[in-house]
Amino acid sequence: MVDSPLRANLFDEQRVLVTGGGTGMGLAFATAFAAHGAQVAIASRNAEHLEAGAATIAAATGAEALTQVVDVRDTESVAALATTLKTEWGGLDVLVNNAAGNFFAPVAEMSENAWRAVVDIVLDGTFRVSQACHSLLRKGSNPNVVNIVANYAWGSASYVAHSGAAKAGVLSLTRSLALEWASHGIRVNALCPGVVPTEGAKVNLFPTPEMEQMIVDTIPWGRLATADEMALQVLWLAASDYVTGECLVADGGQWLAGNPFYTLGRQVVD
Ligand code: COA
């Protein structure tokens, strides 16, 4: 956890759910919330990731995370998660829709199953979890949703078109829900993180040092992002008031300089 400019007790008595919270950025988000006093729940398809993630959170903060195996593509599995939160907590203050999947695949060769796998996790999963948590959020204090998007959501996402279409959909959903749920007292925002070298991103998107350097070369700030500094942005959005329907872009200026996925993807798959 990086030094935080936020109060250590900022999220005292707040209940936070992070999907995809067992590894990578999601785990950093959950750890940062716990470090600022929150009770956290992490959900993932993989029980081993959850166990290791909960151990990481405990070691870093002393907090005991609630864990549940969940597939955000499965409505019943998501409903079971909401039931657990209702039983354990009675309500929810912050939902972070972070679960995602991505890999390079040109549209001409992509199977429908491959398209659907990503869209079903990223877009439909965000819909399912948000909807299932709505009544819990209505019982929350300063309740809000933070959806994780990507800076190719508003331009092109060549060679990761499934992810681009899904993230664009999540951005639209963010704005739609911000208005629909304003009268329910629930804010809905998005964070667009920079490229973070998590295991998942390295394996799927830039497996070689040369490819990683190609990404770095597209970032005016001159380096990749860290999961911990992205976590602070999520906390900032979650703690704020009045901000809703916004997308906070924390990508070191990358999108202003141009999207690297076209160049990188062309090298990988063409
Ligand atoms: N490259 C090409 N196609 C892929 C792929 C890859 N790396 N991963 C999955 N697919 C295709 C599969 O071939 C399959 O299509 P098919 O049935 O026509 O063969 C379809 O996508 C579904 O694959 P499957 O492995 O059954 O899906 P899954 O539900 O187990 O996993 C993901 C889908 C996206 C979660 C998986 O690719 C994954 O674990 N990705 C890594 C995690 C990740 O993306 N982290 C974030 C990176 S930024």
Side-chain angles (χ1 to χ4, degrees):
M1 187 68 213
V2 289
D3 278 345
S4 171
L6 305 174
R7 276 200 330 268
N9 64 350
L10 189 60
F11 289 96
D12 269 6
E13 297 181 18
Q14 294 254 299
R15 301 148 298 182
V16 179
L17 167 64
V18 182
T19 66
T23 55
M25 268 200 282
L27 178 56
F29 300 162
T31 306
F33 274 110
H36 291 80
Q39 296 178 68
V40 297
I42 53 177
S44 158
R45 278 190 302 169
N46 187 312
E48 283 171 20
H49 289 171
L50 287 175
E51 198 181 321
T56 299
I57 292 169
T61 70
E64 190 181 338
L66 194 62
T67 62
Q68 183 147 333
V69 174
V70 172
D71 185 349
V72 299
R73 290 179 285 190
D74 178 347
T75 304
E76 283 182 18
S77 172
V78 170
L81 171 64
T83 301
T84 299
L85 296 179
K86 189 173 177 194
T87 308
E88 296 289 328
W89 289 348
L92 183 66
D93 305 301
V94 184
L95 163 62
V96 184
N97 281 307
N98 165 75
N102 198 6
F103 48 83
F104 283 117
V107 171
E109 293 159 24
M110 191 190 301
S111 71
E112 184 169 339
N113 205 23
W115 171 273
R116 180 113 301 278
V118 172
V119 174
D120 208 4
I121 296 168
V122 175
L123 176 57
D124 300 0
T126 299
F127 158 76
R128 282 188 199 98
V129 179
S130 301
Q131 188 184 57
C133 290
H134 174 249
S135 60
L136 294 166
L137 287 163
R138 288 199 80 170
K139 297 187 184 114
S141 147
N142 186 21
N144 68 95
V145 180
V146 180
N147 294 325
I148 306 305
V149 297
N151 65 9
Y152 47 71
W154 50 86
S156 64
S158 309
Y159 305 106
V160 287
H162 44 11
S163 175
K167 294 288 190 183
V170 171
L171 196 53
S172 171
L173 182 61
T174 300
R175 292 171 177 146
S176 301
L177 287 183
L179 298 194
E180 288 193 20
W181 291 359
S183 61
H184 303 172
I186 303 168
R187 295 180 299 111
V188 186
N189 291 296
L191 173 74
C192 170
V195 180
V196 174
T198 59
E199 273 314 298
K202 283 203 279 193
V203 169
N204 291 288
L205 299 176
F206 42 93
T208 68
E210 293 74 26
M211 291 166 82
E212 182 172 317
Q213 188 56 44
M214 277 181 70
I215 300 263
V216 172
D217 290 344
T218 66
I219 303 170
W221 207 248
R223 63 169 174 82
L224 299 179
T226 71
D228 285 343
E229 64 192 353
M230 294 303 102
L232 285 180
Q233 307 306 321
V234 174
L235 266 62
W236 164 246
L237 274 175
S240 64
D241 193 4
Y242 208 67
V243 178
T244 196
E246 186 53 271
C247 176
L248 174 59
V249 183
D251 71 348
Q254 187 189 40
W255 86 267
L256 292 170
N259 177 337
F261 281 91
Y262 172 67
T263 314
L264 193 57
R266 205 167 49 161
Q267 227 183 55
V268 173
V269 298
D270 260 4

